[in-house]
Amino acid sequence: MAGRPTKCWPLIGFSLICLKMVASAKTVPEIPTIDQAYSKISNSITVEWATVPGATSYLLTAEDGDTVIETTVANSPGTVTGLKAATVYQITVRSISAAGRSQASPPKQAKTVLAAPILEVSSPSPDSILVQWEAVYMAIGFSVSVMRANGLGRMWKENTTNTSLTFGSLEAGTLYTIKAYAWNANGMPGDDSTCNQRTSPRAPANIEVSFDSGALKASVSWAPTEGAFNYTVMALSDSSERSCHTTLRTCTISSLRCGTEYLISVLASNDAGSSKSTSTEALKTVACAPGRVTIREDPPGHLSVAWSNVDLGDYYVAFVKSDDGLEVHCNTSFTQCNFLSECGFTYFISVFAYNKAGQSPLGDVFNYTTAPCCPTDMNPVLVSSDRVEIVWSPVRGAELYETKAVAGFTVVECNDTAPACTLSALECDTKYNITVHSFSEVRGSNTSCTSQFITTAPCSPEIKNVSKDAFSTINVHWQSTNNDAIYTVTAQGEKGLFRCSSRGESCAMVGLPCGSVFSVTAVAETQAGRSLPSYSVPLETVPCCPAGLTVTQVTQSVINVSWTVATGARTYVTVLESHAGQLKCLTHQNQCLLGCVSCGINYTVALKAISATGVTADCAYQSYSSSACCPLGVKLYRLGPNGIRIYWQASRGSVNYSTDLYGSKGIFTCTPSAGLSFCDVTEIPCGDVYTVMVSPVAETGLKLTFCPKKIYSVTCSGSTLGMVIYRGKRNAE
């Protein structure tokens, strides 16, 4: 491309000399005579004249009929400037001294030469220079010459009547000096114009292009061109244009577009203009990253990655990297790849297009999270009647676990971030279908997890009745709705633990110790587990019967019944019963006095042991016979000087008696023969007072001591036979 034309203007010199007028008393100087007047420069005329004595300066005047131009000079020759080119002027000269100035000299006619042409030069091609100018007044021809500015080499000179001229076969990128002038009809040359013009450079050769696919830039190099000041690299495509400028021999074009084919050209330029592109290099950039990437997982475990086709893409590579660092890829000329996937992973997916230029830029990186894995080791660690506690190992990708238990229309749910769940408020003895779904915020719930059937523990039985039969057997009755359950009843107390079991609704326990308090509970058990114990029911066994019972005759009508302390008994009831009636005594102690006992009668002795709550144990013992009645009508008769007969009225029944006489001189005892009601004591001293007691003798040989005693005085005077004086009665001791 040619540079902007250069205009060259002629340089016309002029000078002005000021004369200092010096006053003189002499006469004005003589009139000078012009020898010649001529023009060498289009705007001036040079005048020559003979020197005038006494003149200190000269006034030159040029007139063309319209204007008058004056110039003062010191001496000859002098030049009038500021004139018009190719114009006839009348030239006069006046001499000047201190006394004044002379008259004008005879005029001399002179014509200014032609004006220099105003040149406009350019280099339309690397080997040519075009010189143009406007027409010059009064000119009939022009002379133009061209040569290298450094003076080396030849000079080209052309004459023409036109106003333009082209010089060819020049050297490219070289500075030339152009000189031009016009001439008139007389062949008189006018002023000349001089310009410098550089030819434009040639287009660079040996262009090489290196493409950086990662940065999307191209580095272009070429062979240097003579006379080039700078270079412009152009990258043109159908839709974009990129360029770079440099003074060096390499340049990098940045921000190229992917998937675009560029034509690369290099232009050299200087002050004359730019070269024309003679050769181009084709550059195909890398393909753009594939778009419209879609990811599907169908079926689970298989990822399908698809994308759109891109320009300049020869083949594609899809990369899939899991969040554990494992990466796989697929190389294909199609627009789809299939990969195996695992649950609970996040996959980062990128697709690149490739051609000879390299790899496409990184497009969007897509992430796809597969459904979280399902728990596979679900383990019920606790199963009760209304609660199931389940644990499992944490699974990959799960942010939350949704546990659901379904039984018919009943649904119980539990959500937790921990790998454990406690399902509560369940129905006892019920089969639930339990499923643990893993959940992630990105993918939601994994609905493909398998379920497990778990039956809750049986319902707690309800004890309806606890009874005792005549054989001290404890019968426990309950109510329950469990299927195929074994029930265990437990009686627990201070004396130990007792159990009975049954598949029905009752069982019997034997061998519970007397006088004990128990807490009775029932538990149901199935393969699913054990129920909670039923509400406890208190059970109190009857008090124990005393280990021994003793009946002691205190008086003829009073007996003392004593016994050992019975376990569990708080109160005792003693009953003596005979055909004559019943005697009863209620006490908290372990003995009791019973009065109004008839002598000589067989009694049945019974003892009831009663607990604090009123539970009674009937304790039966052998019969008891009360002591024989004390004899009545005891009298003493004298038998000789030293003998006494004691007589009494025998009580009913066959009774043995024993007679005792207590005196100051000793104790005398006699035992009558069976069936007799008297007894003789011989060798008893007289003159003494005796206490006489006749007592029945029990079958055990024990002599009763509670019969009444009588006091008799036995004198030694009088008949040896006769009454013994009765002195009174003495209470039994």
Side-chain angles (χ1 to χ4, degrees), residues 42-63:
S42 61
N43 67 342
S44 68
I45 294 176
T46 300
V47 183
E48 296 180 1
W49 65 89
T51 302
V52 176
T56 58
S57 60
Y58 301 91
L59 177 64
L60 304 182
T61 303
E63 298 182 30

Side-chain angles (χ1 to χ4, degrees), residues 85-294:
T87 303
V88 177
Y89 285 92
Q90 296 292 329
I91 305 298
T92 61
V93 180
R94 288 182 174 87
S95 58
I96 301 172
S97 68
R101 62 183 180 180
S102 67
Q103 294 292 321
S105 66
K108 191 76 170 181
Q109 192 176 61
K111 186 177 182 181
T112 56
V113 298
L114 299 179
I118 300 174
L119 301 181
E120 185 175 305
V121 294
S122 62
S123 177
S125 65
D127 62 349
S128 67
I129 291 177
L130 171 63
V131 184
Q132 294 176 296
W133 58 89
E134 295 179 359
V136 176
Y137 178 65
M138 297 297 291
I140 63 170
F142 301 92
S143 179
V144 183
S145 63
V146 174
M147 70 177 300
R148 293 179 63 148
N150 58 10
L152 301 177
R154 60 169 289 191
M155 181 179 70
W156 291 266
K157 186 174 182 180
E158 297 285 344
N159 293 327
T160 182
T161 57
N162 297 323
T163 56
S164 66
L165 192 63
T166 299
F167 291 90
S169 301
L170 303 180
E171 296 181 15
T174 303
L175 182 64
Y176 286 90
T177 298
I178 299 96
K179 181 182 287 189
Y181 61 87
W183 69 81
N184 58 18
N186 298 323
M188 180 71 68
D191 287 343
D192 58 18
S193 293
T194 301
C195 288
N196 287 333
Q197 175 65 46
R198 193 181 307 274
T199 53
S200 59
R202 296 188 185 278
N206 300 326
I207 299 174
E208 294 182 359
V209 180
S210 175
F211 180 66
D212 185 344
S213 60
L216 280 178
K217 62 183 181 181
S219 178
V220 184
S221 63
W222 55 88
T225 298
E226 179 69 29
F229 293 171
N230 49 56
Y231 300 92
T232 300
V233 180
M234 303 290 294
L236 301 177
S237 70
D238 294 338
S239 60
S240 66
E241 177 181 329
R242 294 286 186 272
S243 64
C244 67
H245 305 275
T246 183
T247 59
L248 307 177
R249 60 186 301 269
T250 61
C251 189
T252 299
I253 301 178
S254 303
S255 303
L256 297 177
R257 292 183 179 180
C258 59
T260 304
E261 185 172 1
Y262 288 94
L263 292 178
I264 306 296
S265 62
V266 182
L267 301 180
S269 62
N270 56 21
D271 52 357
S274 301
S275 64
K276 289 184 172 59
S277 177
T278 58
S279 63
T280 58
E281 291 290 329
L283 171 65
K284 290 183 179 181
T285 62
V286 295
C288 295
R292 296 199 298 273
V293 177
T294 59

Side-chain angles (χ1 to χ4, degrees), residues 581-711:
Q582 188 184 66
L583 301 176
K584 185 182 293 185
C585 170
L586 178 64
T587 181
H588 291 295
Q589 301 175 354
N590 63 334
Q591 65 178 6
C592 185
L593 290 175
L594 291 170
C596 301
V597 177
S598 299
C599 56
I601 296 179
N602 290 328
Y603 286 92
T604 299
V605 181
L607 181 67
K608 292 184 178 180
I610 304 172
S611 70
T613 60
V615 179
T616 302
D618 293 323
C619 304
Y621 294 93
Q622 294 180 352
S623 63
Y624 169 75
S625 296
S626 61
S627 65
C629 297
C630 291
L632 301 175
V634 176
K635 295 179 180 179
L636 274 65
Y637 295 92
R638 186 77 175 262
L639 294 176
N642 295 317
I644 294 294
R645 173 173 283 184
I646 301 124
Y647 177 82
W648 61 88
Q649 294 179 4
S651 62
R652 60 182 177 273
S654 177
V655 180
N656 294 324
Y657 295 92
S658 175
T659 302
D660 296 304
L661 280 77
Y662 302 92
S664 60
K665 297 178 180 179
I667 299 174
F668 304 91
T669 301
C670 73
T671 301
S673 299
L676 298 180
S677 60
F678 64 91
C679 179
D680 295 336
V681 178
T682 62
E683 301 299 327
I684 183 172
C686 62
D688 198 359
V689 177
Y690 290 93
T691 299
V692 179
M693 185 176 65
V694 180
S695 302
V697 178
E699 294 179 355
T700 60
L702 180 62
K703 183 167 55 177
L704 301 180
T705 60
F706 50 74
C707 289
K709 299 175 182 178
K710 291 185 177 182
I711 301 173

Side-chain angles (χ1 to χ4, degrees), residues 412-425:
V412 179
E413 293 182 326
C414 161
N415 297 334
D416 204 331
T417 56
C421 177
T422 299
L423 296 164
S424 55

